[in-house]
Amino acid sequence: MPNNAFERALARLDEAAKHVEIPEETFHRLHYPKAVLSVSVPVRMDDGRLRVFEGYRVQHSDLLGPGKGGLRYHPDVDLDEVKALAFWMSCKCAVMDLPYGGAKGGVAVDPKELSMLELERLSRGLIRRIADFIGPEVDIPAPDVYTNERIMGWMMDEYSEVVRKRCPDVITGKPLALGGSRGRAGATGRGGYFCLRELTCERDWKATETSVAIHGFGNAGQAIARLLHKDGFKVVAVSDSGGAILDPDGLDIPRIIEGKRSGKSVESAYCRKSVCDQDGVETLSNADLLTLDVDVLIPAALDDVITEDNAEQIQASVILELANGPTTLEADRILDRRGISVVPDILANAGGVTVSYYEWVQNRTGDYWTEEEIDQRLEQRMVSQFGKVLALASEKDLSIRQAAYCLALQRLGAAAEALGTHALFNGD
Ligand code: NAD
Protein backbone atom coordinates (compact mmCIF):
# COMPACT_ATOMS: atom_id res chain seq x y z
CA MET A 1 0.00 0.00 0.00
CA PRO A 2 1.31 3.50 -0.77
CA ASN A 3 2.53 5.56 2.19
CA ASN A 4 1.13 8.73 0.76
CA ALA A 5 -2.35 9.64 2.12
CA PHE A 6 -3.58 10.90 -1.26
CA GLU A 7 -2.52 7.77 -3.12
CA ARG A 8 -4.15 5.64 -0.43
CA ALA A 9 -7.38 7.60 -0.88
CA LEU A 10 -7.21 7.11 -4.65
CA ALA A 11 -6.98 3.34 -4.11
CA ARG A 12 -10.69 3.51 -3.11
CA LEU A 13 -11.43 5.07 -6.47
CA ASP A 14 -9.53 2.33 -8.28
CA GLU A 15 -11.57 -0.32 -6.43
CA ALA A 16 -14.89 1.38 -7.24
CA ALA A 17 -13.96 1.87 -10.88
CA LYS A 18 -14.05 -1.93 -11.32
CA HIS A 19 -17.79 -1.86 -10.68
CA VAL A 20 -18.89 1.13 -12.69
CA GLU A 21 -18.76 2.01 -16.37
CA ILE A 22 -17.20 5.40 -16.86
CA PRO A 23 -14.74 6.47 -19.55
CA GLU A 24 -11.12 5.79 -18.65
CA GLU A 25 -10.24 9.47 -19.16
CA THR A 26 -12.79 10.62 -16.53
CA PHE A 27 -11.43 8.17 -14.04
CA HIS A 28 -7.86 9.26 -14.92
CA ARG A 29 -8.69 12.95 -14.45
CA LEU A 30 -9.89 12.33 -10.88
CA HIS A 31 -6.37 11.21 -9.98
CA TYR A 32 -5.18 14.84 -10.17
CA PRO A 33 -6.33 17.74 -7.98
CA LYS A 34 -7.52 20.69 -10.04
CA ALA A 35 -5.40 23.21 -8.10
CA VAL A 36 -3.12 23.28 -5.05
CA LEU A 37 -2.14 26.33 -3.03
CA SER A 38 0.60 26.30 -0.43
CA VAL A 39 1.00 29.32 1.86
CA SER A 40 2.94 30.54 4.87
CA VAL A 41 1.11 32.60 7.48
CA PRO A 42 3.24 34.83 9.75
CA VAL A 43 1.61 35.49 13.11
CA ARG A 44 2.77 37.96 15.77
CA MET A 45 2.45 36.09 19.06
CA ASP A 46 1.33 37.71 22.31
CA ASP A 47 4.90 37.79 23.62
CA GLY A 48 6.10 39.74 20.57
CA ARG A 49 7.77 36.81 18.74
CA LEU A 50 6.91 36.06 15.09
CA ARG A 51 5.87 32.50 14.22
CA VAL A 52 5.25 31.26 10.69
CA PHE A 53 2.65 28.55 10.06
CA GLU A 54 2.34 26.49 6.89
CA GLY A 55 -1.09 26.12 5.32
CA TYR A 56 -2.70 24.56 2.26
CA ARG A 57 -5.86 24.76 0.21
CA VAL A 58 -6.58 22.11 -2.40
CA GLN A 59 -9.40 22.04 -4.95
CA HIS A 60 -9.77 18.48 -6.12
CA SER A 61 -12.57 18.70 -8.69
CA ASP A 62 -15.06 21.28 -9.89
CA LEU A 63 -16.95 18.93 -12.23
CA LEU A 64 -20.16 19.24 -10.20
CA GLY A 65 -19.77 22.81 -8.92
CA PRO A 66 -17.54 25.11 -6.85
CA GLY A 67 -15.13 23.50 -4.40
CA LYS A 68 -16.46 22.77 -0.91
CA GLY A 69 -14.63 21.53 2.15
CA GLY A 70 -13.34 22.32 5.61
CA LEU A 71 -10.26 24.02 6.99
CA ARG A 72 -8.42 21.99 9.63
CA TYR A 73 -6.02 23.15 12.35
CA HIS A 74 -3.85 20.25 13.51
CA PRO A 75 -0.12 19.63 13.99
CA ASP A 76 -0.23 16.66 11.55
CA VAL A 77 -1.69 18.61 8.61
CA ASP A 78 0.37 18.14 5.44
CA LEU A 79 -0.27 18.58 1.74
CA ASP A 80 -0.90 14.90 0.98
CA GLU A 81 -3.47 14.67 3.74
CA VAL A 82 -5.23 17.80 2.47
CA LYS A 83 -5.26 16.38 -1.08
CA ALA A 84 -6.82 13.16 0.22
CA LEU A 85 -9.44 15.09 2.19
CA ALA A 86 -10.25 17.22 -0.89
CA PHE A 87 -10.71 14.08 -2.97
CA TRP A 88 -13.10 12.66 -0.36
CA MET A 89 -15.09 15.90 -0.51
CA SER A 90 -15.55 15.47 -4.29
CA CYS A 91 -16.92 11.98 -3.65
CA LYS A 92 -19.04 13.09 -0.67
CA CYS A 93 -20.72 15.96 -2.53
CA ALA A 94 -21.36 13.64 -5.47
CA VAL A 95 -22.90 10.92 -3.24
CA MET A 96 -25.20 13.52 -1.68
CA ASP A 97 -26.10 14.93 -5.12
CA LEU A 98 -24.97 18.42 -4.05
CA PRO A 99 -23.96 21.00 -6.69
CA TYR A 100 -20.39 21.15 -5.38
CA GLY A 101 -16.95 19.88 -6.16
CA GLY A 102 -14.40 18.87 -3.54
CA ALA A 103 -11.84 21.04 -1.71
CA LYS A 104 -10.08 21.11 1.66
CA GLY A 105 -7.51 23.10 3.55
CA GLY A 106 -5.54 23.15 6.72
CA VAL A 107 -2.77 24.67 8.78
CA ALA A 108 -0.06 22.70 10.57
CA VAL A 109 -0.55 24.09 14.09
CA ASP A 110 -1.50 22.95 17.54
CA PRO A 111 -4.29 25.51 18.06
CA LYS A 112 -4.66 24.62 21.74
CA GLU A 113 -1.26 26.26 22.33
CA LEU A 114 -2.51 29.59 20.96
CA SER A 115 -4.33 32.29 22.88
CA MET A 116 -7.68 33.46 21.53
CA LEU A 117 -6.02 36.57 20.02
CA GLU A 118 -3.27 34.51 18.37
CA LEU A 119 -5.93 32.19 16.96
CA GLU A 120 -7.79 35.16 15.50
CA ARG A 121 -4.60 36.56 13.93
CA LEU A 122 -3.78 33.16 12.41
CA SER A 123 -7.32 32.73 11.01
CA ARG A 124 -7.45 36.21 9.49
CA GLY A 125 -3.87 35.84 8.17
CA LEU A 126 -4.75 32.55 6.48
CA ILE A 127 -7.72 34.14 4.73
CA ARG A 128 -5.60 37.04 3.47
CA ARG A 129 -3.21 34.45 1.98
CA ILE A 130 -5.91 32.34 0.25
CA ALA A 131 -8.47 35.06 -0.60
CA ASP A 132 -7.68 35.00 -4.34
CA PHE A 133 -8.06 31.23 -4.42
CA ILE A 134 -11.47 30.89 -2.70
CA GLY A 135 -14.80 32.65 -3.24
CA PRO A 136 -18.58 32.08 -3.04
CA GLU A 137 -18.71 30.72 -6.61
CA VAL A 138 -15.25 29.16 -6.62
CA ASP A 139 -14.39 27.41 -3.37
CA ILE A 140 -16.28 27.65 -0.08
CA PRO A 141 -14.49 26.62 3.16
CA ALA A 142 -16.16 25.32 6.36
CA PRO A 143 -15.13 24.08 9.84
CA ASP A 144 -13.21 20.86 10.37
CA VAL A 145 -11.02 19.44 13.14
CA TYR A 146 -10.21 22.17 15.71
CA THR A 147 -11.85 24.94 13.73
CA ASN A 148 -15.27 26.12 14.82
CA GLU A 149 -18.02 28.63 14.13
CA ARG A 150 -16.22 31.53 15.80
CA ILE A 151 -13.21 30.95 13.54
CA MET A 152 -15.53 30.78 10.49
CA GLY A 153 -17.00 34.14 11.56
CA TRP A 154 -13.53 35.76 11.70
CA MET A 155 -12.68 34.27 8.31
CA MET A 156 -15.88 35.52 6.66
CA ASP A 157 -15.27 38.98 8.14
CA GLU A 158 -11.66 39.06 6.89
CA TYR A 159 -12.63 37.89 3.39
CA SER A 160 -15.30 40.61 3.27
CA GLU A 161 -12.63 43.18 4.24
CA VAL A 162 -10.32 41.94 1.48
CA VAL A 163 -12.93 42.05 -1.30
CA ARG A 164 -14.61 45.20 0.09
CA LYS A 165 -18.11 43.75 0.22
CA ARG A 166 -20.09 41.64 2.66
CA CYS A 167 -19.74 37.97 1.62
CA PRO A 168 -21.53 35.62 4.02
CA ASP A 169 -21.65 32.97 1.26
CA VAL A 170 -17.84 32.60 1.11
CA ILE A 171 -17.77 30.30 4.12
CA THR A 172 -20.22 28.05 5.95
CA GLY A 173 -20.50 26.94 9.55
CA LYS A 174 -20.63 30.58 10.71
CA PRO A 175 -22.30 31.77 13.94
CA LEU A 176 -26.04 32.40 13.52
CA ALA A 177 -25.47 36.10 14.18
CA LEU A 178 -23.18 36.31 11.13
CA GLY A 179 -25.41 34.47 8.65
CA GLY A 180 -24.94 30.89 9.86
CA SER A 181 -27.69 28.33 9.43
CA ARG A 182 -29.91 26.91 12.08
CA GLY A 183 -29.14 23.22 12.51
CA ARG A 184 -25.56 23.47 11.14
CA ALA A 185 -23.76 22.88 14.45
CA GLY A 186 -25.22 19.40 14.95
CA ALA A 187 -25.66 18.48 11.28
CA THR A 188 -22.78 16.01 10.88
CA GLY A 189 -23.90 13.99 13.87
CA ARG A 190 -27.55 14.23 12.84
CA GLY A 191 -26.79 13.00 9.31
CA GLY A 192 -24.90 10.00 10.74
CA TYR A 193 -27.78 9.35 13.12
CA PHE A 194 -30.23 9.12 10.18
CA CYS A 195 -27.97 6.55 8.48
CA LEU A 196 -27.72 4.47 11.65
CA ARG A 197 -31.45 4.71 12.32
CA GLU A 198 -32.18 3.45 8.76
CA LEU A 199 -29.69 0.60 9.09
CA THR A 200 -30.89 -0.54 12.52
CA CYS A 201 -34.55 -0.38 11.35
CA GLU A 202 -33.66 -2.51 8.34
CA ARG A 203 -32.06 -5.06 10.68
CA ASP A 204 -34.91 -4.90 13.21
CA TRP A 205 -32.54 -3.85 16.00
CA LYS A 206 -34.21 -2.26 19.03
CA ALA A 207 -32.59 0.98 20.16
CA THR A 208 -32.64 -0.04 23.83
CA GLU A 209 -30.78 -3.26 23.03
CA THR A 210 -28.17 -1.62 20.79
CA SER A 211 -24.87 -0.61 22.39
CA VAL A 212 -22.67 2.09 20.90
CA ALA A 213 -19.08 3.27 21.46
CA ILE A 214 -17.98 6.68 20.17
CA HIS A 215 -14.31 7.49 19.55
CA GLY A 216 -14.00 11.31 19.58
CA PHE A 217 -16.36 13.57 21.50
CA GLY A 218 -16.18 16.88 19.66
CA ASN A 219 -18.76 18.50 17.42
CA ALA A 220 -19.68 15.35 15.46
CA GLY A 221 -19.34 12.83 18.31
CA GLN A 222 -21.37 14.83 20.82
CA ALA A 223 -24.20 15.55 18.36
CA ILE A 224 -24.74 11.90 17.48
CA ALA A 225 -24.34 10.81 21.11
CA ARG A 226 -27.10 13.19 22.16
CA LEU A 227 -29.51 11.96 19.47
CA LEU A 228 -28.81 8.27 20.09
CA HIS A 229 -29.14 8.72 23.86
CA LYS A 230 -32.50 10.50 23.35
CA ASP A 231 -33.70 7.59 21.17
CA GLY A 232 -32.83 5.09 23.91
CA PHE A 233 -29.63 3.64 22.40
CA LYS A 234 -27.09 2.53 25.01
CA VAL A 235 -24.05 4.76 24.46
CA VAL A 236 -21.68 2.77 26.66
CA ALA A 237 -18.35 4.46 25.87
CA VAL A 238 -17.07 7.81 24.60
CA SER A 239 -13.58 9.26 24.34
CA ASP A 240 -11.55 12.34 23.53
CA SER A 241 -7.84 13.09 23.26
CA GLY A 242 -7.61 12.71 27.07
CA GLY A 243 -8.87 9.09 27.12
CA ALA A 244 -12.10 7.07 27.20
CA ILE A 245 -14.89 6.31 29.69
CA LEU A 246 -17.16 3.29 29.94
CA ASP A 247 -20.46 2.37 31.59
CA PRO A 248 -21.94 -0.93 30.33
CA ASP A 249 -25.43 0.25 31.42
CA GLY A 250 -25.17 3.36 29.24
CA LEU A 251 -23.57 6.73 29.96
CA ASP A 252 -25.49 9.86 30.95
CA ILE A 253 -24.66 11.73 27.73
CA PRO A 254 -26.21 15.16 28.54
CA ARG A 255 -24.22 15.23 31.80
CA ILE A 256 -20.96 14.38 30.00
CA ILE A 257 -21.58 17.05 27.35
CA GLU A 258 -22.27 19.57 30.10
CA GLY A 259 -19.05 18.53 31.84
CA LYS A 260 -17.01 19.04 28.65
CA ARG A 261 -18.61 22.44 27.98
CA SER A 262 -17.89 23.66 31.48
CA GLY A 263 -14.21 23.25 30.58
CA LYS A 264 -14.39 25.85 27.83
CA SER A 265 -12.81 28.82 29.52
CA VAL A 266 -13.25 32.37 28.28
CA GLU A 267 -9.66 32.74 27.18
CA SER A 268 -9.75 29.57 25.09
CA ALA A 269 -11.70 28.47 22.02
CA TYR A 270 -11.26 24.81 23.03
CA CYS A 271 -12.49 22.55 25.81
CA ARG A 272 -9.82 22.09 28.44
CA LYS A 273 -11.73 19.26 30.11
CA SER A 274 -11.69 15.62 29.08
CA VAL A 275 -14.59 13.17 29.35
CA CYS A 276 -12.28 11.39 31.81
CA ASP A 277 -12.80 14.23 34.32
CA GLN A 278 -16.30 12.83 35.02
CA ASP A 279 -16.81 11.38 38.51
CA GLY A 280 -17.75 7.75 39.05
CA VAL A 281 -17.00 6.29 35.62
CA GLU A 282 -14.60 3.58 34.53
CA THR A 283 -11.78 4.85 32.33
CA LEU A 284 -9.95 3.05 29.53
CA SER A 285 -7.63 3.90 26.67
CA ASN A 286 -8.76 5.10 23.26
CA ALA A 287 -7.27 1.94 21.76
CA ASP A 288 -9.39 -0.26 24.07
CA LEU A 289 -12.56 1.65 23.21
CA LEU A 290 -12.15 0.71 19.55
CA THR A 291 -12.23 -3.02 20.30
CA LEU A 292 -15.05 -3.02 22.88
CA ASP A 293 -17.81 -5.62 22.59
CA VAL A 294 -20.52 -3.28 21.25
CA ASP A 295 -23.01 -3.41 18.38
CA VAL A 296 -21.99 -0.11 16.81
CA LEU A 297 -18.62 1.63 16.75
CA ILE A 298 -18.51 5.28 15.70
CA PRO A 299 -15.05 6.70 14.93
CA ALA A 300 -15.56 10.48 15.24
CA ALA A 301 -12.04 11.86 15.76
CA LEU A 302 -9.14 11.39 13.37
CA ASP A 303 -8.15 9.37 10.31
CA ASP A 304 -6.41 5.94 10.27
CA VAL A 305 -7.57 4.70 13.69
CA ILE A 306 -8.86 1.33 12.41
CA THR A 307 -5.87 -0.36 10.83
CA GLU A 308 -4.64 -3.85 10.00
CA ASP A 309 -3.24 -3.93 13.56
CA ASN A 310 -6.64 -3.75 15.29
CA ALA A 311 -9.21 -4.69 12.59
CA GLU A 312 -9.20 -8.38 13.63
CA GLN A 313 -10.04 -7.33 17.22
CA ILE A 314 -12.99 -5.07 16.36
CA GLN A 315 -16.12 -6.62 17.88
CA ALA A 316 -18.81 -4.21 16.62
CA SER A 317 -20.96 -5.49 13.75
CA VAL A 318 -21.58 -1.99 12.38
CA ILE A 319 -19.05 0.84 12.00
CA LEU A 320 -20.39 4.31 11.26
CA GLU A 321 -17.56 6.54 10.05
CA LEU A 322 -18.27 10.06 11.30
CA ALA A 323 -14.58 10.95 11.02
CA ASN A 324 -12.98 11.31 7.61
CA GLY A 325 -10.83 8.34 6.64
CA PRO A 326 -10.82 6.49 9.99
CA THR A 327 -10.39 3.06 8.34
CA THR A 328 -7.34 2.15 6.26
CA LEU A 329 -7.76 0.17 3.05
CA GLU A 330 -6.07 -2.89 4.59
CA ALA A 331 -8.40 -2.73 7.60
CA ASP A 332 -11.38 -2.36 5.30
CA ARG A 333 -10.56 -5.64 3.57
CA ILE A 334 -10.33 -7.38 6.96
CA LEU A 335 -13.65 -5.89 8.13
CA ASP A 336 -15.28 -6.88 4.84
CA ARG A 337 -14.05 -10.47 5.17
CA ARG A 338 -15.34 -10.58 8.75
CA GLY A 339 -18.80 -9.41 7.62
CA ILE A 340 -18.68 -6.12 9.53
CA SER A 341 -20.82 -3.44 7.83
CA VAL A 342 -19.10 -0.09 7.39
CA VAL A 343 -21.16 3.01 6.61
CA PRO A 344 -18.39 5.01 4.93
CA ASP A 345 -17.35 8.56 5.76
CA ILE A 346 -18.42 9.98 2.40
CA LEU A 347 -21.99 9.05 3.35
CA ALA A 348 -22.09 8.82 7.16
CA ASN A 349 -20.63 12.30 7.82
CA ALA A 350 -22.21 14.05 4.81
CA GLY A 351 -24.83 15.79 6.99
CA GLY A 352 -22.34 18.60 7.67
CA VAL A 353 -21.71 19.51 4.05
CA THR A 354 -25.41 19.11 3.27
CA VAL A 355 -26.43 21.73 5.83
CA SER A 356 -23.45 23.84 4.73
CA TYR A 357 -25.09 23.79 1.30
CA TYR A 358 -28.37 24.92 2.87
CA GLU A 359 -26.47 27.74 4.64
CA TRP A 360 -24.92 28.85 1.33
CA VAL A 361 -28.34 28.80 -0.39
CA GLN A 362 -29.83 30.88 2.46
CA ASN A 363 -26.93 33.38 2.29
CA ARG A 364 -27.33 33.76 -1.48
CA THR A 365 -31.11 34.15 -1.43
CA GLY A 366 -31.44 36.06 1.85
CA ASP A 367 -34.29 33.71 2.77
CA TYR A 368 -33.57 32.04 6.15
CA TRP A 369 -35.21 28.73 7.16
CA THR A 370 -36.36 27.40 10.53
CA GLU A 371 -34.49 24.63 12.34
CA GLU A 372 -37.40 22.25 11.63
CA GLU A 373 -37.15 22.98 7.88
CA ILE A 374 -33.41 22.35 7.92
CA ASP A 375 -33.73 19.09 9.86
CA GLN A 376 -36.54 17.90 7.57
CA ARG A 377 -34.55 18.66 4.42
CA LEU A 378 -31.49 16.95 5.87
CA GLU A 379 -33.48 13.87 6.87
CA GLN A 380 -35.07 13.63 3.44
CA ARG A 381 -31.76 13.88 1.60
CA MET A 382 -29.83 11.55 3.92
CA VAL A 383 -32.54 8.87 3.84
CA SER A 384 -32.92 9.09 0.07
CA GLN A 385 -29.17 8.98 -0.78
CA PHE A 386 -28.51 6.30 1.84
CA GLY A 387 -31.35 4.26 0.28
CA LYS A 388 -29.80 4.66 -3.19
CA VAL A 389 -26.41 3.49 -1.91
CA LEU A 390 -27.93 0.45 -0.14
CA ALA A 391 -29.94 -0.45 -3.27
CA LEU A 392 -26.79 -0.26 -5.42
CA ALA A 393 -24.88 -2.36 -2.87
CA SER A 394 -27.50 -5.08 -2.98
CA GLU A 395 -27.96 -4.90 -6.80
CA LYS A 396 -24.23 -5.25 -7.50
CA ASP A 397 -23.32 -7.27 -4.40
CA LEU A 398 -20.95 -4.58 -3.12
CA SER A 399 -20.00 -3.30 0.31
CA ILE A 400 -21.72 -0.07 1.37
CA ARG A 401 -18.42 1.76 0.81
CA GLN A 402 -17.93 0.39 -2.70
CA ALA A 403 -21.53 1.27 -3.57
CA ALA A 404 -21.13 4.84 -2.26
CA TYR A 405 -18.00 5.34 -4.38
CA CYS A 406 -19.78 3.82 -7.41
CA LEU A 407 -22.68 6.25 -7.04
CA ALA A 408 -20.23 9.16 -6.71
CA LEU A 409 -18.32 8.00 -9.78
CA GLN A 410 -21.53 7.64 -11.81
CA ARG A 411 -22.46 11.26 -11.02
CA LEU A 412 -18.98 12.64 -11.66
CA GLY A 413 -18.84 10.56 -14.85
CA ALA A 414 -22.17 11.95 -16.07
CA ALA A 415 -20.88 15.53 -15.66
CA ALA A 416 -17.65 14.72 -17.51
CA GLU A 417 -19.58 13.04 -20.31
CA ALA A 418 -21.90 16.02 -20.66
CA LEU A 419 -18.81 18.13 -21.40
CA GLY A 420 -17.69 15.57 -23.96
CA THR A 421 -15.29 12.66 -23.76
CA HIS A 422 -13.01 10.95 -26.23
CA ALA A 423 -15.97 9.02 -27.66
CA LEU A 424 -17.76 12.27 -28.60
CA PHE A 425 -14.77 14.06 -30.07
CA ASN A 426 -13.54 10.95 -31.84
CA GLY A 427 -16.98 10.50 -33.44
CA ASP A 428 -17.54 6.99 -31.98
P1 NAD B 1 -13.71 18.44 16.87
O1 NAD B 1 -12.43 19.17 16.86
O2 NAD B 1 -14.94 19.13 17.33
O3 NAD B 1 -13.58 17.10 17.75
C1 NAD B 1 -12.53 16.19 17.59
C2 NAD B 1 -12.59 15.23 18.77
O4 NAD B 1 -11.59 14.23 18.59
C3 NAD B 1 -12.32 15.88 20.13
O5 NAD B 1 -13.17 15.32 21.08
C4 NAD B 1 -10.88 15.48 20.43
O6 NAD B 1 -10.60 15.45 21.80
C5 NAD B 1 -10.88 14.10 19.82
N1 NAD B 1 -9.54 13.59 19.56
C6 NAD B 1 -8.46 14.26 19.09
N2 NAD B 1 -7.38 13.44 19.05
C7 NAD B 1 -7.83 12.24 19.50
C8 NAD B 1 -7.21 10.99 19.70
N3 NAD B 1 -5.92 10.81 19.41
N4 NAD B 1 -7.97 9.96 20.18
C9 NAD B 1 -9.28 10.14 20.46
N5 NAD B 1 -9.92 11.31 20.31
C10 NAD B 1 -9.19 12.33 19.83
O7 NAD B 1 -13.86 17.85 15.38
P2 NAD B 1 -15.18 17.41 14.64
O8 NAD B 1 -15.66 18.57 13.87
O9 NAD B 1 -16.10 16.69 15.57
O10 NAD B 1 -14.54 16.39 13.59
C11 NAD B 1 -14.27 15.04 13.94
C12 NAD B 1 -14.14 14.22 12.66
O11 NAD B 1 -15.34 14.38 11.92
C13 NAD B 1 -12.99 14.66 11.73
O12 NAD B 1 -12.47 13.54 11.07
C14 NAD B 1 -13.69 15.56 10.74
O13 NAD B 1 -13.00 15.63 9.50
C15 NAD B 1 -15.01 14.82 10.62
N6 NAD B 1 -16.08 15.66 10.09
C16 NAD B 1 -16.53 16.76 10.78
C17 NAD B 1 -17.54 17.53 10.22
C18 NAD B 1 -18.11 18.72 10.94
O14 NAD B 1 -19.07 19.33 10.42
N7 NAD B 1 -17.64 19.07 12.12
C19 NAD B 1 -18.07 17.21 8.97
C20 NAD B 1 -17.60 16.06 8.32
C21 NAD B 1 -16.60 15.31 8.89
Side-chain angles (χ1 to χ4, degrees), residues 316-336:
S317 47
V318 168
I319 296 178
L320 181 87
E321 294 185 337
L322 274 194
N324 281 308
T327 311
T328 65
L329 194 65
E330 299 84 346
D332 216 22
R333 290 186 181 135
I334 297 171
L335 299 175
D336 208 26

Side-chain angles (χ1 to χ4, degrees), residues 72 74 85 92 104 112 143-147 184-185 188 215-221 239-242 260 286 300-303 322-325 349-350 352-353:
R72 172 177 294 199
H74 195 274
L85 289 161
K92 194 182 301 183
K104 202 80 175 196
K112 292 185 180 179
D144 193 74
V145 175
Y146 293 149
T147 55
R184 174 63 183 86
T188 302
H215 177 261
F217 206 59
N219 175 320
S239 73
D240 56 25
S241 54
K260 279 278 285 184
N286 263 296
L302 300 173
D303 42 350
L322 274 194
N324 281 308
N349 70 30
V353 69

Side-chain angles (χ1 to χ4, degrees), residues 84-147:
L85 289 161
F87 159 75
W88 282 322
M89 285 309 296
S90 296
C91 297
K92 194 182 301 183
C93 294
V95 167
M96 294 309 289
D97 213 6
L98 300 173
Y100 284 141
K104 202 80 175 196
V107 176
V109 58
D110 181 354
K112 292 185 180 179
E113 285 179 352
L114 303 188
S115 71
M116 192 74 110
L117 272 169
E118 290 166 344
L119 195 63
E120 187 195 14
R121 282 181 219 125
L122 171 67
S123 305
R124 289 183 181 274
L126 175 68
I127 288 302
R128 287 195 295 278
R129 285 290 199 255
I130 67 172
D132 293 334
F133 196 71
I134 60 169
E137 284 146 359
V138 185
D139 176 358
I140 307 127
D144 193 74
V145 175
Y146 293 149
T147 55

Side-chain angles (χ1 to χ4, degrees), residues 139-200:
D139 176 358
I140 307 127
D144 193 74
V145 175
Y146 293 149
T147 55
N148 52 29
E149 60 174 39
R150 186 182 298 281
I151 294 174
M152 296 304 113
W154 290 331
M155 290 181 168
M156 184 278 288
D157 186 55
E158 192 64 28
Y159 183 84
S160 299
E161 288 287 336
V162 171
V163 300
R164 293 272 180 251
K165 61 178 178 186
R166 184 76 170 178
C167 283
D169 50 349
V170 71
I171 207 154
T172 58
K174 302 177 294 293
L176 262 186
L178 294 175
S181 176
R182 291 182 171 79
R184 174 63 183 86
T188 302
R190 186 172 288 270
Y193 160 78
F194 289 136
C195 293
L196 192 58
R197 193 193 64 187
E198 293 301 295
L199 199 70
T200 50

